[in-house]
């Protein structure tokens, strides 16, 4: 069976940097095997990251500035693809998610308010042109993965559940694969048996690290960008009354399929949280503990509300999986459900999302659909991604 060397590139809503992986892939879908050869996170240049975060927060931008930003992101993505190959035989394919700067789910205004007409299409913008990456690397590149699902009436998110299904499902055990990036998203995987694919569910659970990181930046005047291991939050006391108030937010009560982003759980949402915290006279550590509790509680609320029964195991991935305090709170709220990371079952928790986009690019080349309509709300399975071919004569 032919072995394919593929690069996966991903930057999520935390905008920490570019996660790049080099993987060997064998097989098709159910029998796919992925070996991680190299994984690295390449931080954005400081000025570029600040510009991206400002756009994500709603800062106005001209078309000329947007074009320049698109090119700048493509260039650093291409550099990441070149760097991840050093010391290894070259890849023949790149799957690049790009950098999301705007996400409007199907049926929503950009403000997050639900439209009367559920027929309205969603919109999602990922910068970092695939054609530029292909040209600079001389490697065929697949990009813009979300567009085909959105055109079919879906949210274009989450796109990873189908990959999770073939890499992390279990013959006898139901699992929730919980990614905690800037936004949290889950893939519920039933035991792998008859008609199991149709029973998979997936959706964005709500804030992941986005509010926590913004709060840390606020309290340190930008000196720190995140709470390492959740240590600062762990020194505080969560205000459970406030968490219950926050859980009344409309998004948490929308049935899946659903998706969200910084457009909702961003700077203005944090300001509302900080105002509420003043009412309860919470100090910085208590605010961080309370926001952490919201992230954990919103995940558990999602499971208990929208799954027929709780999973038998939860596997964490993404940057939030390394937040020990957040993991502890999830373990406490989930009670008897074991909480592990995907590392503990053989798939990198840090680089799983980047691996997923390598797989999605590989499936695109094979003509295999990449979305799961039960997770995204699309009306059919779709080939995901635009393919930018190269001649190889550069």
């Amino acid at each position: 069976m032919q072995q394919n060397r593929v690069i996966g590139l991903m930057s999520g809503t935390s905008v920490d940097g570019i996660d790049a992986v080099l993987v060997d892939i064998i097989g098709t879908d159910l029998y796919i095997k992925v070996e991680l050869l190299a994984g690295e996170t390449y931080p954005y240049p400081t000025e570029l990251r600040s510009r991206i975060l400002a756009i994500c927060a709603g800062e106005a931008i001209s078309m000329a500035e947007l074009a320049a930003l698109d090119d700048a992101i493509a260039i650093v993505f291409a550099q990441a693809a070149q760097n991840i190959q050093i010391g290894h035989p070259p890849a023949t394919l790149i799957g690049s998610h790009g950098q999301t700067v705007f996400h409007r789910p199907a049926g929503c205004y950009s403000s997050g308010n639900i439209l009367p007409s559920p027929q309205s299409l969603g919109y999602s913008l990922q910068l970092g042109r695939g054609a530029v990456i292909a040209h600079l690397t001389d490697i065929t590149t697949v990009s813009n993965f979300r567009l085909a699902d959105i055109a079919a009436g879906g949210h274009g998110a989450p796109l990873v559940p189908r990959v999770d299904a073939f890499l992390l499902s279990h013959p006898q055990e139901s699992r929730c694969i919980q990614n905690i990036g800037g936004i949290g998203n889950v893939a519920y995987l039933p035991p792998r048996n008859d008609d199991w694919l149709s029973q998979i569910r997936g959706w964005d659970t709500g804030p992941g690290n986005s509010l926590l990181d913004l709060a840390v930046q606020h309290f340190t005047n930008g000196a720190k960008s995140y709470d390492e291991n959740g240590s600062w939050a762990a020194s505080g006391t969560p205000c459970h009354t406030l968490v219950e108030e926050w859980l009344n937010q409309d998004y948490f009560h929308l049935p899946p399929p659903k998706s969200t982003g910084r457009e909702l759980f961003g700077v203005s949402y944090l300001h509302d949280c900080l105002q509420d915290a003043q009412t309860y006279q919470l100090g910085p550590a208590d605010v961080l503990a309370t926001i952490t509790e919201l992230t954990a509680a919103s995940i558990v609320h999602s499971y208990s509300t929208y799954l027929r029964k709780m999973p038998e195991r939860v596997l964490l991935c993404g940057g939030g999986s390394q937040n020990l305090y957040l993991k502890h709170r999830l373990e406490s709220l989930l009670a008897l459900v074991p909480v592990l990371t995907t590392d503990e079952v053989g798939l990198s928790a840090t680089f799983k999302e980047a691996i997923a986009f390598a797989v999605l690019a590989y499936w695109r080349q094979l003509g295999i659909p990449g979305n799961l309509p039960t997770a995204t709300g699309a009306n059919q399975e779709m080939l995901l991604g635009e393919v930018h071919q190269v001649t190889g004569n550069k």
Side-chain angles (χ1 to χ4, degrees):
M1 193 174 291
Q2 185 177 355
Q3 183 171 281
N4 299 268
R5 189 148 295 168
V6 186
I7 293 168
L9 303 173
M10 169 76 187
S11 180
T13 48
S14 291
V15 197
D16 295 327
I18 301 157
D19 288 340
V21 297
L22 181 66
V23 295
D24 278 340
I25 304 177
I26 299 174
T28 54
D29 41 29
L30 182 56
Y31 303 103
I32 197 170
K33 291 184 68 175
V34 177
E35 180 185 359
L36 177 63
L37 303 177
E40 189 69 47
T41 299
Y42 300 99
Y44 277 118
T46 302
E47 185 177 339
L48 180 56
R49 181 174 190 264
S50 297
R51 193 74 183 113
I52 294 168
L53 288 171
I55 301 306
C56 292
E59 183 176 298
I61 185 171
S62 70
M63 287 302 299
E65 291 170 322
L66 179 65
L69 184 62
D70 200 1
D71 288 342
I73 292 172
I75 289 168
V76 294
F77 267 68
Q79 290 169 344
Q82 291 165 331
N83 289 337
I84 201 65
Q85 296 177 87
I86 294 173
H88 299 276
T92 58
L93 182 66
I94 295 173
S96 176
H97 172 270
Q99 177 64 62
T100 300
V101 294
F102 179 74
H103 182 73
R104 186 193 70 205
C108 290
Y109 286 117
S110 59
S111 64
N113 296 322
I114 304 305
L115 280 171
S117 170
Q119 282 75 38
S120 60
L121 291 175
Y123 188 91
S124 193
L125 179 61
Q126 286 73 45
L127 298 184
R129 290 189 287 159
V132 173
I133 296 171
H135 175 72
L136 292 176
T137 61
D138 203 31
I139 299 172
T140 294
T141 299
V142 184
S143 62
N144 281 341
F145 287 93
R146 302 191 184 277
L147 300 189
D149 182 86
I150 289 172
H155 284 239
L159 291 184
V160 175
R162 192 182 191 104
V163 180
D164 287 344
F166 292 119
L167 295 182
L168 291 168
S169 59
H170 189 275
Q172 290 89 35
E173 181 180 84
S174 63
R175 293 175 166 182
C176 274
I177 315 303
Q178 180 68 50
N179 178 61
I180 307 176
I183 297 297
N185 57 70
V186 65
Y188 168 77
L189 308 179
R192 192 172 60 237
N193 50 38
D194 295 340
D195 196 33
W196 66 292
L197 272 180
S198 68
Q199 301 172 49
I200 293 172
R201 297 291 181 267
W203 64 89
D204 286 354
T205 53
N209 304 318
S210 58
L211 296 178
L212 284 167
D213 292 350
L214 288 170
V216 169
Q217 292 160 32
H218 170 79
F219 288 129
T220 64
N221 292 315
K224 290 186 177 182
S225 59
Y226 71 103
D227 181 14
E228 187 172 0
N229 293 324
S231 299
W232 194 358
S235 69
T237 302
C239 176
H240 295 286
T241 303
L242 195 48
V243 172
E244 289 302 314
E245 289 181 20
W246 290 344
L247 282 175
N248 286 324
Q249 206 279 338
D250 289 346
Y251 181 81
F252 300 122
H253 301 278
L254 285 176
K258 60 179 179 176
S259 62
T260 189
R262 280 180 176 266
E263 293 75 22
L264 178 57
F265 296 109
V267 174
S268 61
Y269 194 93
L270 174 67
H271 287 164
D272 291 342
C273 292
L274 294 176
Q275 267 195 323
D276 293 340
Q278 287 180 356
T279 304
Y280 291 88
Q281 299 181 319
L282 303 184
D286 298 330
V287 172
L288 291 173
T290 306
I291 293 175
T292 301
E293 194 74 9
L294 173 65
T295 294
S298 63
I299 290 170
V300 177
H301 172 269
S302 267
Y303 296 0
S304 60
T305 306
Y306 302 118
L307 294 177
R308 292 182 180 177
K309 61 178 182 178
M310 295 297 277
E312 294 169 85
R313 190 177 302 272
V314 172
L315 299 176
L316 302 180
C317 56
S321 67
Q322 299 174 39
N323 183 322
L324 301 182
Y325 177 62
L326 174 55
K327 185 171 183 285
H328 167 72
R329 292 308 305 145
L330 273 171
E331 288 171 333
S332 177
L333 292 174
L334 285 166
L336 300 177
V337 180
V339 179
L340 290 78
T341 67
T342 59
D343 288 312
E344 295 171 85
V345 294
L347 188 64
S348 170
T350 301
F351 295 110
K352 186 181 78 68
E353 301 291 291
I355 291 169
F357 283 94
V359 172
L360 289 172
Y362 173 71
W363 282 345
R364 178 65 178 85
Q365 290 289 76
L366 293 180
I368 296 172
N371 64 331
L372 274 179
T374 55
T376 67
N379 54 40
Q380 65 185 82
E381 293 185 340
M382 300 292 291
L383 295 178
L384 300 182
E386 298 172 348
V387 182
H388 306 278
Q389 299 280 5
V390 296
T391 62
N393 296 324
K394 190 174 176 181

